[in-house]
Amino acid sequence: MSFIFVLWLYWVGIMASPPLQSRPTPCDVFGQIYVEKDPYLATFRVFVEKNNEFNAHVVVFEETNPLFADKPGFWYFTNKRGFANYSIAYVQDRNVADFVVYFTDRELYAGCNRR
């Protein structure tokens, strides 16, 4: 009898636990972005590629209006952490970055580089 009770408690515990949340990919990062100074507080650590957009995971266009930052690669930088969809921290070492970005001044080139 006790074995069945323990088995029932185990099953109830599994069914009551919330599903696992998957971490967003670099292509999911768009919208309002807050820049953290401490990389441990940020959602993502980002390395900025300065020379070649083909080495980047995301080509970013900096929007001037948060309403237009609605697709991958379109970021609006906010000074208010509470309004941000994601927070990033710039890192100097590519090996510790979660992903690599390249900033463009042309809206047409912004987006996710699929590999």
Side-chain angles (χ1 to χ4, degrees), residues 1-98:
M1 179 71 173
S2 64
F3 175 73
I4 294 174
F5 181 70
V6 170
L7 189 61
W8 179 78
L9 282 176
Y10 177 72
W11 183 77
V12 168
I14 289 176
M15 298 312 260
S17 63
L20 295 175
Q21 297 280 330
S22 63
R23 185 173 174 147
T25 64
C27 294
D28 296 331
V29 179
F30 60 87
Q32 296 189 42
I33 308 296
Y34 179 76
V35 179
E36 291 278 358
K37 297 204 185 317
D38 185 2
Y40 295 106
L41 297 176
T43 311
F44 293 102
R45 293 177 304 241
V46 175
F47 178 79
V48 178
E49 175 69 42
K50 298 198 188 321
N51 300 324
N52 191 350
E53 70 183 82
F54 300 109
N55 291 333
H57 295 104
V58 180
V59 178
V60 175
F61 176 75
E62 189 175 340
E63 281 289 350
T64 57
N65 186 335
L67 297 176
F68 296 133
D70 58 352
K71 294 182 283 197
F74 290 85
W75 291 6
Y76 174 80
F77 289 97
T78 182
N79 295 329
K80 298 187 179 6
R81 182 182 291 140
F83 291 145
N85 299 100
Y86 298 99
S87 62
I88 63 167
Y90 295 117
V91 293
Q92 300 299 318
D93 186 2
R94 185 184 189 113
N95 296 321
V96 299
D98 294 315

